[in-house]
C-alpha cells in the first residue's frame, strides 16, 4: 500500500501563488510516476501534471503550462506543485496521485486539498 497526503491548499487572490505538497509513505518504491489531478465542484476529475521517478520528465495540461511547476524529492518521499499566476478557474480540490504500473495509470490517490482563487 502507498499512502499519499496533500497539504498547502488555501485561499489566494487571482495572480497569486501557492505551493502544494504531497507526502508519500508505505511502498513508495512502486511510485515510479507521480502527479496531480484536480476536480472543481460539479465537474469531473481532470489531469493537471505528472513527473517521472527521476524527475527528469514532466508533462502539463495545456491549461496550466507555463504557470505550474511539478517537482519531487525522492529522499523525502515528497512531491510539490508550485502554482503561479493563479486564475479563478484553477479553483478545485487538488489530488496527489501515484502509479507503479508500466502503463502509468493511477493506482493511489490522496484525500485532496482545497485551492480557492478569488477574483
Amino acid at each position: 500500500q502507498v499512502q499519499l497526503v496533500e497539504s498547502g491548499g488555501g485561499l489566494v487572490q487571482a495572480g497569486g501563488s501557492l505551493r502544494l505538497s504531497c507526502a508519500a509513505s508505505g511502498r513508495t518504491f512502486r511510485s515510479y510516476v507521480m502527479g496531480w489531478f484536480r476536480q472543481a465542484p460539479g465537474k469531473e476529475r481532470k489531469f493537471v501534471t505528472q513527473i517521472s521517478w527521476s524527475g527528469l520528465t514532466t508533462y502539463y495540461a495545456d491549461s496550466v503550462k507555463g504557470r505550474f511547476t511539478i517537482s519531487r524529492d525522492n529522499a523525502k518521499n515528497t512531491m510539490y506543485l508550485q502554482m503561479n499566476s493563479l486564475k479563478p478557474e484553477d479553483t478545485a480540490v487538488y489530488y496527489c496521485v501515484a502509479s507503479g504500473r508500466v502503463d502509468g495509470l493511477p493506482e493511489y490517490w490522496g484525500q485532496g486539498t482545497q485551492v480557492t482563487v478569488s477574483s
Side-chain angles (χ1 to χ4, degrees), residues 47-87:
F47 168 81
V48 177
T49 181
Q50 68 182 62
I51 187 169
S52 64
W53 184 91
S54 67
L56 298 177
T57 303
T58 59
Y59 183 82
Y60 299 90
D62 289 341
S63 59
V64 305
K65 187 169 64 175
R67 300 187 297 119
F68 290 11
T69 303
I70 188 172
S71 62
R72 65 191 297 171
D73 185 340
N74 290 342
K76 298 183 180 297
N77 290 325
T78 303
M79 178 180 64
Y80 306 95
L81 181 63
Q82 179 66 47
M83 305 183 294
N84 298 326
S85 301
L86 284 164
K87 306 174 180 179

Side-chain angles (χ1 to χ4, degrees), residues 95-117:
Y95 296 91
C96 177
V97 65
S99 178
R101 294 170 56 98
V102 66
D103 58 11
L105 292 175
E107 285 188 282
Y108 307 100
W109 297 81
Q111 294 297 312
T113 185
Q114 177 70 48
V115 172
T116 303
V117 184

Side-chain angles (χ1 to χ4, degrees), residues 10-22:
L11 174 64
V12 298
Q13 294 183 344
S17 298
L18 205 61
R19 189 178 79 158
L20 306 183
S21 298
C22 174

